[in-house]
Amino acid sequence: MELPARLRQAVDAMLEGTPLVALRDAGKALSQRYRAEVRDGRLHMASDLAVKAYLAQRLPATYAALRAALEAVAIARPDFSPRSLLDIGAGPGTALWAASETWPSLSSAVLLEASAPVCAAGQALAKGSAVRCEWRSGDATIFPPDVQPADLVTIAYVLDELPPAALPKLADRLWALAADTLLVVEPGTPAGWRRILDMRARLIAAGGHVVAPCPHEAACPLIEPDWCHFSRRVARSRLHRLAKDADVPWEDEKFSYFAVSRQPASERAARVLAPPKAGSGKVTLKLCQQDGKAAERLFTKRDGNAFKAARRADWGDVL
């Protein structure tokens, strides 16, 4: 997956003239804070250089994860055509770009972000967008009192920055603002998955219908050290490779997510939970099934069309 051409061009223009050494150093500092899940009250992107490092190194991967999760929602809810978006902890507008690429129906967006340099970058990147954007100062802990509900509410790579005690109240508030669907995306780590599970359980109890990735509302069937996460391959541009001092022209972004809606999914199908294991005339898929159980299933040529579908399926797909 790649960034939309217009976004990639805008990012390249914004980064022009910034020394690569500075981008690399700032990117390393940013990654260390994210990986350590630092919660010291400081903004991760408090400077223009930190924002540029994020655009160069992390934006493609976070965009890919959000786009993949939103595409899963669109498949589960083909009747859903959101017109309004509310994004919490919006960063430079990653969810805005992913949602507008997924649903051309999107016409307005409110983006809450606490960092002034990030807001400035997001506004510059979104110039000329067909979506009417309103950038507001705020984050997952400080909501402006006049924020209105939206068809689609998103919060991505934010929960890991908050103390666990804050998550139940945040879940309730997010659900109250979701006129139709709420999407939560977290890093694809065991800790990210556990945060997803806590939010999922609370929102199901509040009456929400899980539309993705789970094909059921039962407890997650996976048992640690296993955990539910997915991967999306991201194509690295030349600048992306140079900023990360990388040789490989791609990277794999691991993420966990769930989407809950006020409307049930139109159709539920088993989800592929791991890379397929293919052999001569056979393929084995690890599936999360509609009955709430996870199991490996072997498909062979004798299964006819089911085998053909299994051969085409990839990690994260529905079967």
Side-chain angles (χ1 to χ4, degrees), residues 1-3 8 60-61 64 232-238 240-241 248-252:
M1 179 174 288
E2 297 180 348
L3 293 177
R8 186 177 65 252
R232 181 56 64 99
R233 179 149 291 184
V234 182
R236 286 172 170 159
S237 67
R238 179 176 179 275
H240 190 178
R241 292 198 305 271
V248 181
W250 50 263
E251 65 182 51
D252 292 324

PDB file of all heavy atoms in Angstrom, residues 1-3 8 60-61 64 232-238 240-241 248-252:
ATOM      1  N   MET A   1       0.840  -1.188   0.000  1.00  0.00           N
ATOM      2  CA  MET A   1       0.000   0.000   0.000  1.00  0.00           C
ATOM      3  C   MET A   1       0.880   1.246   0.000  1.00  0.00           C
ATOM      4  O   MET A   1       1.939   1.266   0.627  1.00  0.00           O
ATOM      5  CB  MET A   1      -0.932   0.011   1.216  1.00  0.00           C
ATOM      6  CG  MET A   1      -1.819   1.246   1.303  1.00  0.00           C
ATOM      7  SD  MET A   1      -3.017   1.190   2.630  1.00  0.00           S
ATOM      8  CE  MET A   1      -4.163  -0.024   1.997  1.00  0.00           C
ATOM      9  N   GLU A   2       0.416   2.288  -0.687  1.00  0.00           N
ATOM     10  CA  GLU A   2       1.135   3.550  -0.755  1.00  0.00           C
ATOM     11  C   GLU A   2       0.222   4.690  -0.322  1.00  0.00           C
ATOM     12  O   GLU A   2      -1.004   4.569  -0.337  1.00  0.00           O
ATOM     13  CB  GLU A   2       1.629   3.816  -2.177  1.00  0.00           C
ATOM     14  CG  GLU A   2       2.629   2.808  -2.698  1.00  0.00           C
ATOM     15  CD  GLU A   2       3.073   3.131  -4.113  1.00  0.00           C
ATOM     16  OE1 GLU A   2       2.434   4.001  -4.737  1.00  0.00           O
ATOM     17  OE2 GLU A   2       4.049   2.531  -4.570  1.00  0.00           O
ATOM     18  N   LEU A   3       0.826   5.803   0.046  1.00  0.00           N
ATOM     19  CA  LEU A   3       0.053   7.005   0.310  1.00  0.00           C
ATOM     20  C   LEU A   3      -0.622   7.469  -0.981  1.00  0.00           C
ATOM     21  O   LEU A   3      -0.084   7.268  -2.076  1.00  0.00           O
ATOM     22  CB  LEU A   3       0.956   8.130   0.828  1.00  0.00           C
ATOM     23  CG  LEU A   3       1.596   7.957   2.203  1.00  0.00           C
ATOM     24  CD1 LEU A   3       2.511   9.144   2.482  1.00  0.00           C
ATOM     25  CD2 LEU A   3       0.548   7.829   3.301  1.00  0.00           C
ATOM     26  N   ARG A   8       1.288  12.194  -0.845  1.00  0.00           N
ATOM     27  CA  ARG A   8       2.734  11.957  -0.930  1.00  0.00           C
ATOM     28  C   ARG A   8       3.459  13.175  -1.479  1.00  0.00           C
ATOM     29  O   ARG A   8       4.522  13.566  -0.979  1.00  0.00           O
ATOM     30  CB  ARG A   8       2.992  10.744  -1.830  1.00  0.00           C
ATOM     31  CG  ARG A   8       4.466  10.320  -1.857  1.00  0.00           C
ATOM     32  CD  ARG A   8       4.679   9.074  -2.683  1.00  0.00           C
ATOM     33  NE  ARG A   8       4.392   9.277  -4.092  1.00  0.00           N
ATOM     34  CZ  ARG A   8       3.337   8.786  -4.729  1.00  0.00           C
ATOM     35  NH1 ARG A   8       2.445   8.058  -4.072  1.00  0.00           N
ATOM     36  NH2 ARG A   8       3.166   9.014  -6.022  1.00  0.00           N
ATOM     37  N   PRO A  60       3.259   6.783   6.444  1.00  0.00           N
ATOM     38  CA  PRO A  60       2.833   5.723   5.515  1.00  0.00           C
ATOM     39  C   PRO A  60       2.286   4.490   6.227  1.00  0.00           C
ATOM     40  O   PRO A  60       1.296   3.893   5.787  1.00  0.00           O
ATOM     41  CB  PRO A  60       4.118   5.401   4.745  1.00  0.00           C
ATOM     42  CG  PRO A  60       4.931   6.667   4.827  1.00  0.00           C
ATOM     43  CD  PRO A  60       4.655   7.204   6.198  1.00  0.00           C
ATOM     44  N   ALA A  61       2.906   4.110   7.327  1.00  0.00           N
ATOM     45  CA  ALA A  61       2.475   2.899   8.038  1.00  0.00           C
ATOM     46  C   ALA A  61       1.149   3.115   8.764  1.00  0.00           C
ATOM     47  O   ALA A  61       0.269   2.241   8.735  1.00  0.00           O
ATOM     48  CB  ALA A  61       3.552   2.469   9.034  1.00  0.00           C
ATOM     49  N   ALA A  64      -1.593   3.113   6.258  1.00  0.00           N
ATOM     50  CA  ALA A  64      -1.886   1.765   5.774  1.00  0.00           C
ATOM     51  C   ALA A  64      -2.756   0.999   6.768  1.00  0.00           C
ATOM     52  O   ALA A  64      -3.704   0.306   6.380  1.00  0.00           O
ATOM     53  CB  ALA A  64      -0.592   1.011   5.507  1.00  0.00           C
ATOM     54  N   ARG A 232      -0.049  -5.025   7.376  1.00  0.00           N
ATOM     55  CA  ARG A 232      -0.221  -4.455   6.040  1.00  0.00           C
ATOM     56  C   ARG A 232       1.158  -4.037   5.525  1.00  0.00           C
ATOM     57  O   ARG A 232       1.881  -3.315   6.212  1.00  0.00           O
ATOM     58  CB  ARG A 232      -1.156  -3.250   6.102  1.00  0.00           C
ATOM     59  CG  ARG A 232      -1.437  -2.585   4.751  1.00  0.00           C
ATOM     60  CD  ARG A 232      -1.990  -3.537   3.710  1.00  0.00           C
ATOM     61  NE  ARG A 232      -3.278  -4.107   3.983  1.00  0.00           N
ATOM     62  CZ  ARG A 232      -4.418  -3.662   3.474  1.00  0.00           C
ATOM     63  NH1 ARG A 232      -4.411  -2.601   2.667  1.00  0.00           N
ATOM     64  NH2 ARG A 232      -5.543  -4.278   3.740  1.00  0.00           N
ATOM     65  N   ARG A 233       1.497  -4.504   4.343  1.00  0.00           N
ATOM     66  CA  ARG A 233       2.802  -4.165   3.748  1.00  0.00           C
ATOM     67  C   ARG A 233       2.737  -2.746   3.175  1.00  0.00           C
ATOM     68  O   ARG A 233       1.807  -2.386   2.459  1.00  0.00           O
ATOM     69  CB  ARG A 233       3.184  -5.166   2.671  1.00  0.00           C
ATOM     70  CG  ARG A 233       4.505  -4.871   1.995  1.00  0.00           C
ATOM     71  CD  ARG A 233       5.193  -6.129   1.537  1.00  0.00           C
ATOM     72  NE  ARG A 233       5.663  -6.919   2.680  1.00  0.00           N
ATOM     73  CZ  ARG A 233       6.378  -8.044   2.551  1.00  0.00           C
ATOM     74  NH1 ARG A 233       6.690  -8.501   1.349  1.00  0.00           N
ATOM     75  NH2 ARG A 233       6.783  -8.700   3.624  1.00  0.00           N
ATOM     76  N   VAL A 234       3.760  -1.957   3.484  1.00  0.00           N
ATOM     77  CA  VAL A 234       3.814  -0.552   3.093  1.00  0.00           C
ATOM     78  C   VAL A 234       4.988  -0.345   2.152  1.00  0.00           C
ATOM     79  O   VAL A 234       6.128  -0.713   2.477  1.00  0.00           O
ATOM     80  CB  VAL A 234       3.985   0.359   4.337  1.00  0.00           C
ATOM     81  CG1 VAL A 234       3.997   1.819   3.934  1.00  0.00           C
ATOM     82  CG2 VAL A 234       2.893   0.075   5.362  1.00  0.00           C
ATOM     83  N   ALA A 235       4.717   0.234   1.002  1.00  0.00           N
ATOM     84  CA  ALA A 235       5.797   0.559   0.065  1.00  0.00           C
ATOM     85  C   ALA A 235       6.523   1.807   0.550  1.00  0.00           C
ATOM     86  O   ALA A 235       5.899   2.807   0.894  1.00  0.00           O
ATOM     87  CB  ALA A 235       5.223   0.790  -1.330  1.00  0.00           C
ATOM     88  N   ARG A 236       7.842   1.731   0.604  1.00  0.00           N
ATOM     89  CA  ARG A 236       8.641   2.873   1.036  1.00  0.00           C
ATOM     90  C   ARG A 236       9.059   3.711  -0.172  1.00  0.00           C
ATOM     91  O   ARG A 236       9.624   3.187  -1.132  1.00  0.00           O
ATOM     92  CB  ARG A 236       9.899   2.410   1.765  1.00  0.00           C
ATOM     93  CG  ARG A 236       9.677   1.880   3.171  1.00  0.00           C
ATOM     94  CD  ARG A 236      10.955   1.279   3.719  1.00  0.00           C
ATOM     95  NE  ARG A 236      10.861   0.975   5.135  1.00  0.00           N
ATOM     96  CZ  ARG A 236      11.645   0.102   5.759  1.00  0.00           C
ATOM     97  NH1 ARG A 236      12.563  -0.554   5.064  1.00  0.00           N
ATOM     98  NH2 ARG A 236      11.508  -0.111   7.043  1.00  0.00           N
ATOM     99  N   SER A 237       8.799   4.985  -0.103  1.00  0.00           N
ATOM    100  CA  SER A 237       9.316   5.893  -1.125  1.00  0.00           C
ATOM    101  C   SER A 237      10.816   6.070  -0.902  1.00  0.00           C
ATOM    102  O   SER A 237      11.373   5.638   0.116  1.00  0.00           O
ATOM    103  CB  SER A 237       8.620   7.248  -1.028  1.00  0.00           C
ATOM    104  OG  SER A 237       8.971   7.892   0.191  1.00  0.00           O
ATOM    105  N   ARG A 238      11.481   6.716  -1.839  1.00  0.00           N
ATOM    106  CA  ARG A 238      12.918   6.964  -1.705  1.00  0.00           C
ATOM    107  C   ARG A 238      13.197   7.770  -0.434  1.00  0.00           C
ATOM    108  O   ARG A 238      14.110   7.446   0.330  1.00  0.00           O
ATOM    109  CB  ARG A 238      13.448   7.698  -2.932  1.00  0.00           C
ATOM    110  CG  ARG A 238      14.944   8.024  -2.871  1.00  0.00           C
ATOM    111  CD  ARG A 238      15.428   8.676  -4.166  1.00  0.00           C
ATOM    112  NE  ARG A 238      16.838   9.003  -4.084  1.00  0.00           N
ATOM    113  CZ  ARG A 238      17.307  10.135  -3.554  1.00  0.00           C
ATOM    114  NH1 ARG A 238      16.473  11.042  -3.055  1.00  0.00           N
ATOM    115  NH2 ARG A 238      18.618  10.364  -3.515  1.00  0.00           N
ATOM    116  N   HIS A 240      11.320   7.969   2.237  1.00  0.00           N
ATOM    117  CA  HIS A 240      11.017   7.118   3.389  1.00  0.00           C
ATOM    118  C   HIS A 240      12.210   6.221   3.715  1.00  0.00           C
ATOM    119  O   HIS A 240      12.617   6.089   4.876  1.00  0.00           O
ATOM    120  CB  HIS A 240       9.775   6.275   3.051  1.00  0.00           C
ATOM    121  CG  HIS A 240       9.198   5.537   4.216  1.00  0.00           C
ATOM    122  ND1 HIS A 240       8.066   4.758   4.115  1.00  0.00           N
ATOM    123  CD2 HIS A 240       9.592   5.421   5.506  1.00  0.00           C
ATOM    124  CE1 HIS A 240       7.791   4.216   5.284  1.00  0.00           C
ATOM    125  NE2 HIS A 240       8.704   4.615   6.146  1.00  0.00           N
ATOM    126  N   ARG A 241      12.808   5.600   2.688  1.00  0.00           N
ATOM    127  CA  ARG A 241      13.965   4.732   2.908  1.00  0.00           C
ATOM    128  C   ARG A 241      15.152   5.516   3.459  1.00  0.00           C
ATOM    129  O   ARG A 241      15.826   5.071   4.389  1.00  0.00           O
ATOM    130  CB  ARG A 241      14.367   4.038   1.593  1.00  0.00           C
ATOM    131  CG  ARG A 241      13.362   3.021   1.091  1.00  0.00           C
ATOM    132  CD  ARG A 241      13.991   2.073   0.067  1.00  0.00           C
ATOM    133  NE  ARG A 241      14.598   2.795  -1.057  1.00  0.00           N
ATOM    134  CZ  ARG A 241      13.955   3.132  -2.147  1.00  0.00           C
ATOM    135  NH1 ARG A 241      12.664   2.867  -2.273  1.00  0.00           N
ATOM    136  NH2 ARG A 241      14.579   3.756  -3.136  1.00  0.00           N
ATOM    137  N   VAL A 248      15.560  -2.046   2.437  1.00  0.00           N
ATOM    138  CA  VAL A 248      14.408  -2.771   1.892  1.00  0.00           C
ATOM    139  C   VAL A 248      13.341  -1.769   1.444  1.00  0.00           C
ATOM    140  O   VAL A 248      13.038  -0.821   2.179  1.00  0.00           O
ATOM    141  CB  VAL A 248      13.829  -3.720   2.962  1.00  0.00           C
ATOM    142  CG1 VAL A 248      12.634  -4.500   2.413  1.00  0.00           C
ATOM    143  CG2 VAL A 248      14.902  -4.684   3.451  1.00  0.00           C
ATOM    144  N   PRO A 249      12.747  -1.945   0.263  1.00  0.00           N
ATOM    145  CA  PRO A 249      11.782  -0.971  -0.256  1.00  0.00           C
ATOM    146  C   PRO A 249      10.370  -1.108   0.311  1.00  0.00           C
ATOM    147  O   PRO A 249       9.429  -0.566  -0.247  1.00  0.00           O
ATOM    148  CB  PRO A 249      11.784  -1.259  -1.763  1.00  0.00           C
ATOM    149  CG  PRO A 249      12.099  -2.704  -1.861  1.00  0.00           C
ATOM    150  CD  PRO A 249      13.073  -2.984  -0.733  1.00  0.00           C
ATOM    151  N   TRP A 250      10.234  -1.837   1.398  1.00  0.00           N
ATOM    152  CA  TRP A 250       8.916  -1.997   2.022  1.00  0.00           C
ATOM    153  C   TRP A 250       9.095  -2.260   3.513  1.00  0.00           C
ATOM    154  O   TRP A 250      10.189  -2.566   3.987  1.00  0.00           O
ATOM    155  CB  TRP A 250       8.130  -3.146   1.372  1.00  0.00           C
ATOM    156  CG  TRP A 250       8.901  -4.435   1.251  1.00  0.00           C
ATOM    157  CD1 TRP A 250       9.574  -4.893   0.171  1.00  0.00           C
ATOM    158  CD2 TRP A 250       9.121  -5.422   2.285  1.00  0.00           C
ATOM    159  NE1 TRP A 250      10.182  -6.090   0.440  1.00  0.00           N
ATOM    160  CE2 TRP A 250       9.917  -6.453   1.725  1.00  0.00           C
ATOM    161  CE3 TRP A 250       8.710  -5.548   3.611  1.00  0.00           C
ATOM    162  CZ2 TRP A 250      10.308  -7.569   2.450  1.00  0.00           C
ATOM    163  CZ3 TRP A 250       9.092  -6.667   4.334  1.00  0.00           C
ATOM    164  CH2 TRP A 250       9.892  -7.664   3.755  1.00  0.00           C
ATOM    165  N   GLU A 251       7.982  -2.141   4.252  1.00  0.00           N
ATOM    166  CA  GLU A 251       7.968  -2.536   5.655  1.00  0.00           C
ATOM    167  C   GLU A 251       6.590  -3.074   5.979  1.00  0.00           C
ATOM    168  O   GLU A 251       5.615  -2.787   5.272  1.00  0.00           O
ATOM    169  CB  GLU A 251       8.309  -1.367   6.593  1.00  0.00           C
ATOM    170  CG  GLU A 251       7.306  -0.234   6.591  1.00  0.00           C
ATOM    171  CD  GLU A 251       7.731   0.908   7.492  1.00  0.00           C
ATOM    172  OE1 GLU A 251       8.882   1.384   7.368  1.00  0.00           O
ATOM    173  OE2 GLU A 251       6.902   1.332   8.318  1.00  0.00           O
ATOM    174  N   ASP A 252       6.479  -3.874   7.022  1.00  0.00           N
ATOM    175  CA  ASP A 252       5.200  -4.445   7.436  1.00  0.00           C
ATOM    176  C   ASP A 252       4.732  -3.770   8.716  1.00  0.00           C
ATOM    177  O   ASP A 252       5.443  -3.805   9.733  1.00  0.00           O
ATOM    178  CB  ASP A 252       5.332  -5.955   7.657  1.00  0.00           C
ATOM    179  CG  ASP A 252       5.588  -6.708   6.363  1.00  0.00           C
ATOM    180  OD1 ASP A 252       5.018  -6.285   5.335  1.00  0.00           O
ATOM    181  OD2 ASP A 252       6.348  -7.690   6.377  1.00  0.00           O
TER     182      ASP A 252
END
